[in-house]
Each structure stands twice: as structure tokens, then as C-alpha cells.
Amino acid sequence: MASFLQALKSQVGRKILTGVTGVGLIIFIIFHLATNLQVFGDVHAFNEAAYALESMGWLLYILEAGLAVAFLLHAYVGISIWWRRRKARPRGYEKYQSKGGPSHVTWASKSMIFTGIVLLVFLIIHLDTFKFADPGTVILPGGGEARDLKALMLATFQQPIYAFGYTAVMILLGFHLGHGFWSAFTSLTMKHNRYSALIYAAGIVFALLMAVGFLFIPLYIYFGGGCEAALIQCQ
Amino acid sequence: MADTFTIHLKIWRQDGPDKPGKLVDYTLDNVNEHMSFLEMLDVLNEQIVAEGREEPVEFDYDCREGICGSCNLMINGRAHGPKAMTCTCQLHMRNYSDGDTIVIEPFRAKGFPVIKDLIVDRSAFDRIIEAGGYVSVKTGSAPDANSIPVDKSVADTAFDYATCIGCGACVAACPNSSASLFTGAKLAHLNRLPQGEPERKRRTVAMVEQMDKEGFGDCSNYAECEAVCPKGISISAIAEMRRNYVKAALAGDEV
Ligand code: HEM
Ligand code: SF4
Ligand code: FES
């Protein structure tokens, strides 16, 4: 076991860690988006989904702890990779350009550390805005007193700073995933010539879906005027 | 002989390790499109020697036929210049036209310290090989190779990886200065052959550790290395290196 932990500190181990935690975060954001889209469901759908989560009790705490660990580990390893990159080439080139062809040197791949740190800062603000906020409660038709996150969401995204700030961050998330999805496959040793181009393309499609899915919500609420909007049902 | 033209060069000049360096401008009027890139530099050096004002530009080469891996130059920001699967020595001036400016720099990485001008010390690669890039037992002479059956596809793939000439372009072009493609290629070559298989885990761990020690960066899957590799080594080698490394680490046995 000691040797396994030792191995995780090596270059290859760090890569496996970014990959595993990255995939964990991908799975999380898929569920997160699916939950968020409930805001377009019937009046209570979104709050019910959130309530169902909160009713999981200790299981939720375990999942949240796992998520926190994955996030922190992912950020820590990502930052350490960036730090080592600076040390590995103390003097940069006067002129540098990609050779194209099979290369995946793109704005997305070169900016993983930037988009990543934005996501980290965003996460803190995001938790403060929603998770640790007190939005008041609402009685669900099926019984139970839930936090009225839907009202909070609608109120938050009618403020331009939130609506556009979230949109910008979600575009950056798209870029992070644009390289990250493919990269994770390769990090987790699944690179195969035959499927490589396919996985890369799938990654871009996935990144687009996630970015558009997430940013549609704040923009729609902002321009639709919250409860006024056609797709949103309020009490 | 209408084929001669003028080229402007900006060449990195550095007196020695840890000395400051800078780009120096040169103009060469009699460049012939049939010259190789290195021949063009030879002509430049003749001109510099004839003028007698400064020392000629130091650059590395040996075979000049694309097999030794010594001719490592960063040409206009690309390792080995603009053409895919081409070493600097195999690059010809017909790829340039009259009046072009070409910036030439050494391969830059902490693991490749500059010796002088454009020459870098790539002995870090030798130490990665010393860590495990060999087979420990005598496997016989050439005819004995035929006594161990090797699947044709395995032999072919091993050969593809064995074509790595250790030039270091993969490190030079990598935004992280990672040596993963070189190390991965050596591992993918040796690990899949019956002669190399028994030492697979030990070799993988030792070579990965050595490339860490030499100060090369992490791999972020940019795949720029594959784009500049004069032998077109695929980054599948890197994925395979990770797979073997994880297997070795999970097994946790004496590696
Ligand atoms: C929702 C949040 C996030 C998701 C879904 C996500 C996903 C991913 C994925 C899938 C990868 C590819 C992993 C690999 O190459 O093996 C990756 C890489 C990376 N992530 Fe994230 N990430 C997230 C947040 C963050 C945060 C908060 C940081 C903070 C610094 C960060 C920094 C990085 C960096 C630097 C890399 C590149 C690692 C490398 O150079 O190989 N990410 N991310
Ligand atoms: S993998 Fe390619 S670029 Fe890297 S050292 Fe070998 S031949 Fe050169
Ligand atoms: S000089 Fe030998 S490969 Fe170019």
C-alpha cells in the first residue's frame, strides 16, 4: 500500500489522479445539470429534487465528502502540474508555435490552469450563493418542508452580475472540458489510435452540451424575467 | 542558377551553460533551395569565419540522414521545423522563400541544459535509458531472435516504437517539457517483446522515476510531441506507459 501511495506522487500517478478526479467531477456535473433542468419542470419539481437529495442523510454527506475530496485533489494536482511546468522550462522560447497535425495544443488545453482556477473561485462563490444561503422554506405538496431553492435561483439570476457572470464561467467550463474529456481518457490509459479522434470529437460535443445546458438557465431566467418566463412555472 | 535567394536568420547565441544568451541577426544571400537546413548553417558559418569577427554558430549533428537524432533545432518555434516527420537535417531550404526570417533556438528544458549556442546536453535521456531501457539477460545473437516466436503485429508495433531516435523534439515542443513520449516509446518497444517482458514492471517504474528526477514536466496530453516527432511516434505509447505503471503499482511487488 505504501508503494501505491508513493506511486501516486510520481508523474504518472499524478496524471491518474487528475484523470480519476476529473471523471468524478464530470459525473457530478452531469447529475448537477440534470437536477438544475428540473427548474423547467412543474412548480415543485426543482425543490423536490433538492429535497430528495437532502433527505438522503448520511449518504449525502458521504457523497459530498467524496466530491469535496475529488475537487480539492483535482485542483491541487492541477496546480502542481502547472507549477512543475514552470520549473521544467526556466527559460521560455522567443518564438513558439504548434506544429498542428495530431497536436491538441489549443487555447483550451493551454488554459486548463486558468479555466480550472476560475472554476475553483467560482465554486466558492457558488456554494456561498446557493448551498449555504438561507432562502426560506416551502411546503411541498408531497409533504416535507424544503429549502425554496427555486425562488433563490430565480431571484439570483435576475441580477445581471450573476446571470452574465455564471454564463462566462460556464463558457470557461466548456473549454476546460473541451480538452479535459479527451485528456482524461488518455490519462486513464485508454488512448487507442483508432478511437482517439472519435473520443476527442465526443469530448467537444460533451463540453458544448454541458456549457450550453448550464448557461441556458441563468440567461433564460434573466431575459425571461423569472416567473414571467414561458418555461418556468411558479406558484 | 536562379535558385539562390536571401534568408534572414535570428539565431540564439550563448557562450556557455548558465551564460546569458540572445538572438543575433544574420543575413545569408546565397541560399540554394537544394541545401538542407544544416548546409545552410554551414554556409553561414563559412561566412562568419571569413568575416572573422565572431565565433561560428555551434549546432549539433552527426548522421545528417535522419537516424541519429543529434540535429535538434527549434526552427521558427517548431522542433525540427515546419514539416511533419522530418528531422532538421532532412529539412530543405526549398521550404522557404526569398526574404523569409527564420528564428533558430536551442531545445529548451531544464533537463536539456544549453552547452553552447544551439547545442544542448541530452544526457538526461541516457540516464532514463540506463534506468531500465535494456534487457538484463543475454538473449543471444541475431539468429537466436528467430527461435522465439513473436507475433507479426507485435513485432511491427515494437519496431514502430523502436524507431525513436532520442532526438528530444518531444520534450522541446511540449508546453510542459515532458519526456513522456521518449520514455513511453522506449517502454512500449521493450515491454511488448518476449525478451523484455519479464522486466516490464521494474523497467516501467524505474524509467518513469528517472524522468521525474531529471526535472522533466508532467504530460498534459497536448499531443504536440506526436506532431513534432520525426518518427511519428504515437502518444499511445504514453497511455501504455501509464497502464503498465499502474499495474506495477497495484501489484506492489518487488519492482
Ligand atoms: C466542475 C469542475 C471540473 C471538472 C468537471 C474538471 C474536469 C477535468 C478533466 C476531465 C480533466 C482532464 C484530466 C486529465 O487530463 O487526466 C481536467 C484537467 C485539469 N483540471 Fe479540471 N475539472 C474541474 C475543475 C477544476 C478545478 C477547480 C481546477 C483548479 C485548479 C482544475 C484544474 C485542472 C487542470 C490544471 C487540469 C489539467 C491537468 C493536466 O495538466 O494534465 N479543474 N479537469
Ligand atoms: S519520441 Fe520522437 S521526438 Fe521524442 S525523442 Fe523519440 S524520435 Fe525524438
Ligand atoms: S543529424 Fe542525425 S538525425 Fe539529423
Side-chain angles (χ1 to χ4, degrees), chain B:
Chain B
M1 281 297 285
D3 302 343
T4 63
F5 54 94
T6 300
I7 288 286
H8 304 288
L9 298 164
K10 288 180 181 295
I11 300 181
W12 185 261
R13 302 300 311 260
Q14 180 172 340
D15 282 342
D18 305 319
K19 296 268 171 57
K22 64 172 191 305
L23 288 176
V24 177
D25 292 339
Y26 298 92
T27 296
L28 212 51
D29 290 321
N30 50 347
V31 177
N32 182 303
E33 64 168 10
H34 302 300
M35 286 173 176
S36 74
F37 201 84
L38 298 184
E39 283 164 344
M40 182 273 292
L41 289 178
D42 292 336
V43 172
L44 171 72
N45 273 343
E46 281 171 13
Q47 179 178 311
I48 290 176
V49 170
E51 286 173 0
R53 278 200 306 268
E54 56 180 339
E55 289 181 30
V57 177
E58 296 279 352
F59 59 94
D60 214 351
Y61 63 87
D62 187 14
C63 70
R64 297 209 180 194
E65 58 178 13
I67 55 170
C68 76
S70 317
C71 53
N72 28 47
L73 295 180
M74 203 70 178
I75 300 168
N76 268 344
R78 293 185 178 120
H80 293 305
K83 286 185 74 86
M85 292 183 69
T86 306
C87 288
T88 300
C89 62
Q90 302 297 93
L91 178 67
H92 285 80
M93 293 312 293
R94 58 175 168 270
N95 292 295
Y96 295 92
S97 42
D98 193 40
D100 279 358
T101 300
I102 308 174
V103 178
I104 311 176
E105 290 178 76
F107 282 5
R108 295 190 192 278
K110 178 160 173 283
F112 286 170
V114 172
I115 297 173
K116 192 165 194 277
D117 294 339
L118 302 171
I119 300 188
V120 299
D121 176 358
R122 284 175 301 128
S123 55
F125 271 13
D126 297 339
R127 290 187 292 276
I128 293 175
I129 295 291
E130 280 163 23
Y134 50 78
V135 172
S136 297
V137 295
K138 268 215 174 83
T139 56
S141 52
D144 297 308
N146 292 328
S147 64
I148 304 172
V150 182
D151 198 271
K152 169 94 166 85
S153 69
V154 172
D156 284 352
T157 312
F159 189 80
D160 283 347
Y161 289 126
T163 57
C164 163
I165 54 178
C167 64
C170 41
V171 172
C174 175
N176 292 3
S177 311
S178 170
S180 295
L181 191 65
F182 166 77
T183 310
K186 298 301 167 195
L187 287 166
H189 159 211
L190 291 168
N191 283 347
R192 62 168 25 73
L193 290 173
Q195 292 87 342
E197 209 285 331
E199 292 174 282
R200 182 168 54 89
K201 289 181 189 161
R202 191 200 60 79
R203 172 185 303 118
T204 307
V205 172
M207 288 177 76
V208 165
E209 277 175 4
Q210 191 63 34
M211 89 179 167
D212 254 340
K213 274 190 215 140
E214 299 292 344
F216 294 112
D218 299 71
C219 169
S220 290
N221 302 318
Y222 291 107
E224 184 66 25
C225 50
E226 183 176 326
V228 300
C229 175
K231 301 299 155 185
I233 306 271
S234 158
I235 61 165
S236 295
I238 301 177
E240 192 175 310
M241 169 175 82
R242 292 178 179 139
R243 195 149 56 228
N244 278 320
Y245 187 87
V246 170
K247 276 186 197 157
L250 284 177
D253 44 39
E254 205 46 51
V255 285

Side-chain angles (χ1 to χ4, degrees), chain A:
Chain A
M1 197 61 194
S3 94
F4 185 64
L5 286 181
Q6 201 62 34
L8 285 181
K9 287 192 196 152
S10 82
Q11 238 182 60
V12 173
R14 279 198 294 274
K15 211 66 261 258
I16 303 289
L17 278 181
T18 357
V20 170
T21 52
V23 168
L25 294 176
I26 282 182
I27 294 172
F28 161 69
I29 62 168
I30 293 174
F31 279 103
H32 194 2
L33 178 58
T35 315
N36 286 2
L37 291 174
Q38 306 278 336
V39 76
F40 301 118
D42 66 57
V43 183
H44 294 289
F46 182 67
N47 282 336
E48 272 165 353
Y51 184 71
L53 269 179
E54 282 175 12
S55 316
M56 280 162 65
W58 58 269
L59 188 58
L60 180 70
Y61 290 126
I62 292 179
L63 288 175
E64 282 181 342
L67 187 59
V69 169
F71 240 111
L72 293 176
L73 211 55
H74 185 82
Y76 170 78
V77 181
I79 291 168
S80 94
I81 288 173
W82 168 78
W83 185 250
R84 285 175 47 96
R85 157 166 96 204
R86 292 161 44 96
K87 288 202 298 188
R89 182 170 294 140
R91 171 168 201 117
Y93 290 105
E94 304 289 317
K95 182 167 184 181
Y96 177 86
Q97 48 183 330
S98 166
K99 207 156 174 166
S103 172
H104 291 310
V105 171
T106 57
W107 190 83
S109 64
K110 283 189 293 184
S111 312
M112 292 303 272
I113 186 66
F114 166 68
T115 49
I117 285 175
V118 169
L119 287 172
L120 194 61
V121 174
F122 165 80
L123 176 75
I124 296 166
I125 301 171
H126 180 58
L127 287 178
D128 183 59
T129 313
F130 288 103
K131 178 133 184 94
F132 299 119
D134 180 13
T137 57
V138 58
I139 306 292
L140 296 173
E145 190 180 3
R147 294 169 70 222
D148 195 357
L149 285 165
K150 184 167 179 178
L152 178 61
M153 187 191 213
L154 294 176
T156 305
F157 290 141
Q158 288 188 64
Q159 298 166 255
I161 174 91
Y162 282 99
F164 295 111
Y166 268 63
T167 303
V169 173
M170 290 308 114
I171 292 173
L172 295 182
L173 171 70
F175 278 105
H176 197 81
L177 292 172
H179 180 70
F181 185 92
W182 177 84
S183 181
F185 270 84
T186 313
S187 295
L188 299 178
T189 84
M190 286 180 277
K191 166 80 167 66
H192 195 293
N193 280 340
R194 222 178 309 164
Y195 309 118
S196 185
L198 199 69
I199 293 174
Y200 193 74
I204 306 241
V205 171
F206 175 76
L208 265 173
L209 278 177
M210 287 295 127
V212 172
F214 275 114
L215 70 77
F216 178 71
I217 298 170
L219 281 188
Y220 185 79
I221 292 175
Y222 180 75
F223 287 108
C227 289
E228 310 291 305
L231 289 176
I232 292 175
Q233 299 174 30
C234 294
Q235 262 163 328

